[in-house]
Amino acid sequence: MRNFAGTPGTVTALILRLLQCLFAAASIASMATTKSFFNFTAFSYLIASMGLQVIWSFGLAFLDACALAKKKVLHNPGLLSLFVVGDWVTATLSLAAASSSAGITVLYFNDLGGCGFGQECQKYQLAVALAFMSWITIGISSLIMFWTLAAG
Amino acid sequence: MRNFAGTPGTVTALILRLLQCLFAAASIASMATTKSFFNFTAFSYLIASMGLQVIWSFGLAFLDACALAKKKVLHNPGLLSLFVVGDWVTATLSLAAASSSAGITVLYFNDLGGCGFGQECQKYQLAVALAFMSWITIGISSLIMFWTLAAG
């Protein structure tokens, strides 16, 4: 099993996990503080998906931090397979949630000639942008994880 | 380089590529025959993304068919890296396009209490469903490709 930046139990992996948590939590905060998100299925789905992302990334960040503190290597193939599957599932759900919300945001801002929800519009856009940033970081993590597993 | 079902130049790979082409082309046909798709950014993006998918998958299906006919093995690492990157890019674009169109379809059918475009509504739904099926087949292809490259 090769050991490179981003594999479980390294500082890069921990930073990526913390960024995922941060972006997903900020996306939830931005979306959940609007008054009308529950009228849109896609926006509710975004909150659910980002919630799952926060739980998953926080759990793995905790594991990475433990592994770093104890200087233990997390390269058990069984554990790694679980991480890979979990990473791919959350990454796919995050991208789907971010895209469907982005579809609706673009529909309101562009196609219907302006968003009529006042200040909430910026919050919708911010939540979608943060969700995409969370997806980019989880995407990097899951590529590294898959590579580690396949090259092991 | 291990040789298993789905690696470039096998019958499984060829079938997967042809299915991707078929689903993507059917999705374009269903969406492009509606009269109002160009009013929606997400629907236009779906057509563009599925168009790219058809070109990419057809090209690779052609390569697979040539490799099968000449019984040549397509396991050049440079070529494989190119396939992996192309597969991941098209898979991500397809998922994003399918999700953003699905977001708008769900918005019209569920959240706004019914779709007012008559017969075109079924076509929108069909196009989205076909785009998701195309994404599933390209997803399988790209996982196999990435695994082949990493395990090589």
Side-chain angles (χ1 to χ4, degrees):
Chain A
M1 193 77 69
R2 289 176 229 170
N3 206 352
F4 48 88
T7 51
T10 59
V11 181
T12 320
L14 181 62
I15 293 173
L16 276 172
R17 296 293 169 192
L18 290 177
L19 280 177
Q20 287 157 28
C21 260
L22 194 78
F23 287 138
S27 176
I28 294 177
S30 178
M31 187 56 89
T33 49
T34 61
K35 280 175 198 152
S36 51
F37 74 86
F38 47 80
N39 290 331
F40 301 92
T41 310
F43 291 166
S44 311
Y45 171 49
L46 183 79
I47 291 184
S49 168
M50 287 295 123
L52 180 71
Q53 181 76 73
V54 168
I55 296 168
W56 175 257
S57 295
F58 187 78
L60 286 197
F62 186 75
L63 270 180
D64 279 339
C66 283
L68 271 175
K70 293 185 181 172
K71 294 189 196 292
K72 211 177 148 191
V73 185
L74 276 180
H75 277 174
N76 179 330
L79 204 63
L80 211 60
S81 307
L82 183 77
F83 291 169
V84 168
V85 173
D87 264 359
W88 281 106
V89 170
T90 49
T92 309
L93 290 179
S94 291
L95 177 60
S99 303
S100 56
S101 300
I104 291 184
T105 316
V106 169
L107 180 81
Y108 274 103
F109 275 85
N110 248 5
D111 307 340
L112 300 180
C115 169
F117 298 102
Q119 279 215 322
E120 311 220 323
C121 296
Q122 270 81 50
K123 283 192 176 179
Y124 291 150
Q125 284 185 312
L126 187 66
V128 169
L130 286 165
F132 271 112
M133 281 157 85
S134 173
W135 168 70
I136 290 170
T137 47
I138 181 89
I140 297 170
S141 275
S142 38
L143 278 177
I144 293 172
M145 283 285 197
F146 194 70
W147 190 272
T148 314
L149 182 68
Chain B
M1 195 76 71
R2 290 176 228 169
N3 205 352
F4 48 88
T7 51
T10 59
V11 181
T12 320
L14 181 62
I15 294 173
L16 276 173
R17 296 292 170 195
L18 290 177
L19 280 177
Q20 287 157 28
C21 260
L22 195 78
F23 287 138
S27 176
I28 294 176
S30 178
M31 187 56 89
T33 50
T34 61
K35 280 174 197 154
S36 51
F37 76 86
F38 46 80
N39 290 330
F40 300 92
T41 311
F43 291 166
S44 312
Y45 171 50
L46 184 78
I47 292 184
S49 167
M50 287 294 123
L52 180 70
Q53 181 77 73
V54 168
I55 297 167
W56 174 257
S57 295
F58 188 78
L60 286 197
F62 185 75
L63 269 180
D64 280 338
C66 283
L68 271 174
K70 292 184 180 172
K71 294 190 195 296
K72 211 178 147 191
V73 185
L74 277 180
H75 278 175
N76 179 330
L79 204 63
L80 211 58
S81 306
L82 183 77
F83 292 169
V84 168
V85 173
D87 264 359
W88 280 106
V89 171
T90 50
T92 308
L93 290 178
S94 292
L95 177 61
S99 302
S100 56
S101 301
I104 291 182
T105 317
V106 169
L107 180 80
Y108 273 103
F109 276 84
N110 248 5
D111 306 340
L112 301 180
C115 168
F117 299 102
Q119 279 214 321
E120 310 219 324
C121 295
Q122 270 82 49
K123 284 191 176 179
Y124 291 149
Q125 284 185 312
L126 187 66
V128 170
L130 286 165
F132 271 111
M133 281 155 86
S134 174
W135 168 69
I136 289 170
T137 47
I138 181 89
I140 296 170
S141 273
S142 39
L143 277 177
I144 293 172
M145 283 286 195
F146 194 70
W147 190 272
T148 313
L149 181 69

